[in-house]
Amino acid sequence: MVGYSDSGKDAGRFTAAWELYKAQEDVVAACNAFGIKVTLFHGRGGSIGRGGGPTYLAIQSQPPGSVMGTLRSTEQGEMVQAKFGLPQTAVRQLEIYTTAVLLATLRPPQPPREEKWRNLMEEISKISCQSYRSTVYENPEFLAYFHEATPQAELGFLNIGSRPTRRKGSTGIGHLRAIPWVFAWTQTRFVLPAWLGVGAGLKGVCEKGHTEDLRAMYKEWPFFQSTIDLIEMVLGKADIPIAKQYDEVLVSESRRELGAAMRGELMTTEKYVLVVSGHEKLSENNRSLRRLIESRLPYLNPINMLQIEILKRLRRDDDNNELRDALLITINGIAAGMRNTG
């Protein structure tokens, strides 16, 4: 079984994706050496930060030989309803799975063309992981900032999950489950788990003169292309002005600097993802997604503004059931608008 959620929370999206890719290569090589037929079971969540994303793209970017006529995968949370809620949609999803598995078996995706590409991935991954962990785990202000800037603490009081938000009583990031970790950042439209560290990694390698290598990797290596495309999709859903509004209303003045620094990181990630993909703007190669996001903004933005005000009042009067009910309505509204939430 290949697990995506906690690896993403521990090391960041890019490093987790690369380490899982290499682990699958090793499993396939070991099974081939002993003549064992392997079926990999992908424990994907709905969000990009938890291994989610378009099914076809995900299967087509697996390591060569890892999809040999069989594949097992989870569908979780709201993705079950979205993908299998209607008979016609369910048939379409099963067609996508079948087509992708057949193609990946008969015409396996290309491995990295050169050893140099692997070395570049290692370098991006190393910088990305260091950048991610220095913010999330090593910055003493981050945990308090996370509690203030997102509705994470309030999510625990709302009866909307199948499990507690934490594995233990500890308040640290390490014991927080991956679903509320991703869900809380999606609510504020910052979507931090899906991109933090990626910009630093790409920038570090581009500044050493490898921009053209990365562009070649994007064009010719399905795994790298799908990784960049998924991050680009998430960046299209992120909204800096909305995330900034949460900071200005809910975060202590002493911690707002951290929020500003992370918004700068988001802009760096956006810049270098576009450099690598060669696109002029986000989701340029997915116009239907761009239109879908833009059509939802007139509904989403006011709900976010309401949520900020409700959180502000609820934190002064946390026993107010009317405010809790109102908060739940805004949470459901934003989740429906953002789609792949947790």
Side-chain angles (χ1 to χ4, degrees):
M1 182 169 183
V2 183
Y4 294 78
S5 302
D6 286 315
S7 52
K9 186 162 71 74
D10 290 345
R13 174 76 182 89
F14 196 96
T15 299
W18 177 230
E19 291 299 323
L20 288 168
Y21 184 91
K22 292 188 293 180
Q24 288 175 78
E25 285 185 318
D26 291 345
V27 168
V28 169
C31 288
N32 286 346
F34 290 92
I36 296 166
K37 188 174 185 298
V38 64
T39 297
L40 289 171
F41 178 14
H42 297 269
R44 295 177 178 279
S47 62
I48 307 305
R50 295 184 53 241
T55 304
Y56 183 84
L57 195 64
I59 296 172
Q60 282 297 292
S61 60
Q62 296 304 313
S66 64
V67 182
M68 293 307 289
T70 61
L71 178 94
R72 192 173 173 191
S73 180
T74 54
E75 292 290 2
Q76 298 178 18
E78 79 277 15
M79 302 315 289
V80 176
Q81 175 65 26
K83 292 184 175 181
F84 300 98
L86 297 169
Q88 302 93 319
T89 314
V91 169
R92 172 80 177 136
Q93 280 302 318
L94 293 170
E95 285 174 350
I96 290 170
Y97 267 109
T98 308
T99 306
V101 169
L102 281 169
L103 270 175
T105 304
L106 299 172
R107 200 179 64 207
Q110 291 298 308
R113 196 185 69 207
E114 306 170 23
E115 192 58 34
K116 183 183 184 182
W117 288 6
R118 285 184 172 276
N119 296 336
L120 287 174
M121 284 298 288
E122 290 292 344
E123 196 166 343
I124 297 167
S125 175
K126 184 183 171 188
I127 299 168
S128 176
C129 185
Q130 283 172 348
S131 172
Y132 177 89
R133 288 193 65 85
S134 70
T135 298
V136 174
Y137 289 94
E138 290 160 22
N139 187 323
E141 292 293 320
F142 181 82
L143 186 61
Y145 171 83
F146 172 52
H147 286 310
E148 288 181 348
T150 74
Q152 190 276 321
E154 289 77 11
L155 288 174
F157 299 123
L158 302 170
N159 190 22
I160 56 173
S162 58
R163 293 177 288 185
T165 55
R166 296 186 171 279
R167 288 190 168 86
K168 295 182 182 175
S170 156
T171 55
I173 298 290
H175 291 139
L176 181 71
R177 288 188 187 275
I179 294 176
W181 165 245
V182 173
F183 195 93
W185 288 114
T186 307
Q187 286 286 305
T188 68
R189 311 267 292 280
F190 205 28
V191 218
L192 178 132
W195 58 262
L196 185 64
V198 177
L202 295 177
K203 180 184 178 187
V205 169
C206 285
E207 285 180 346
K208 290 183 180 175
H210 296 298
T211 305
E212 290 309 315
D213 291 314
L214 295 187
R215 284 178 174 160
M217 287 161 67
Y218 179 80
K219 285 193 181 85
E220 298 174 38
W221 185 15
F223 165 73
F224 187 73
Q225 186 182 61
S226 81
T227 302
I228 296 294
D229 282 350
L230 288 174
I231 292 163
E232 188 175 335
M233 183 188 88
V234 169
L235 293 172
K237 291 185 172 189
D239 192 305
I240 288 177
I242 294 283
K244 188 180 179 185
Q245 189 67 20
Y246 277 82
D247 274 21
E248 287 176 353
V249 176
L250 301 170
V251 174
S252 310
E253 210 165 314
S254 61
R255 296 191 185 98
R256 285 181 201 163
E257 203 175 300
L258 175 57
M262 290 195 294
R263 288 193 295 275
E265 277 289 314
L266 176 57
M267 291 166 82
T268 300
T269 306
E270 203 171 293
K271 176 186 170 183
Y272 282 94
V273 162
L274 291 176
V275 164
V276 170
S277 68
H279 300 152
E280 283 186 26
K281 55 185 178 181
L282 295 171
S283 306
E284 186 178 275
N285 63 336
N286 194 340
R287 299 257 170 90
S288 59
L289 175 70
R290 182 77 256 153
R291 281 197 304 274
L292 203 59
I293 292 169
E294 286 169 358
S295 69
R296 290 179 192 158
L297 293 181
Y299 307 94
L300 259 178
N301 292 350
I303 300 175
N304 276 110
M305 291 299 152
L306 276 171
Q307 186 178 84
I308 292 167
E309 183 59 30
I310 291 165
L311 284 169
K312 179 182 161 186
R313 294 185 190 188
L314 192 56
R315 286 172 184 180
R316 290 180 188 153
D317 181 13
D318 60 2
D319 289 328
N320 189 320
N321 287 329
E322 286 181 359
L323 285 176
R324 284 195 183 186
D325 289 346
L327 179 65
L328 182 56
I329 291 167
T330 65
I331 285 171
N332 284 332
I334 295 165
M338 293 291 280
R339 292 293 289 275
N340 38 13
T341 55

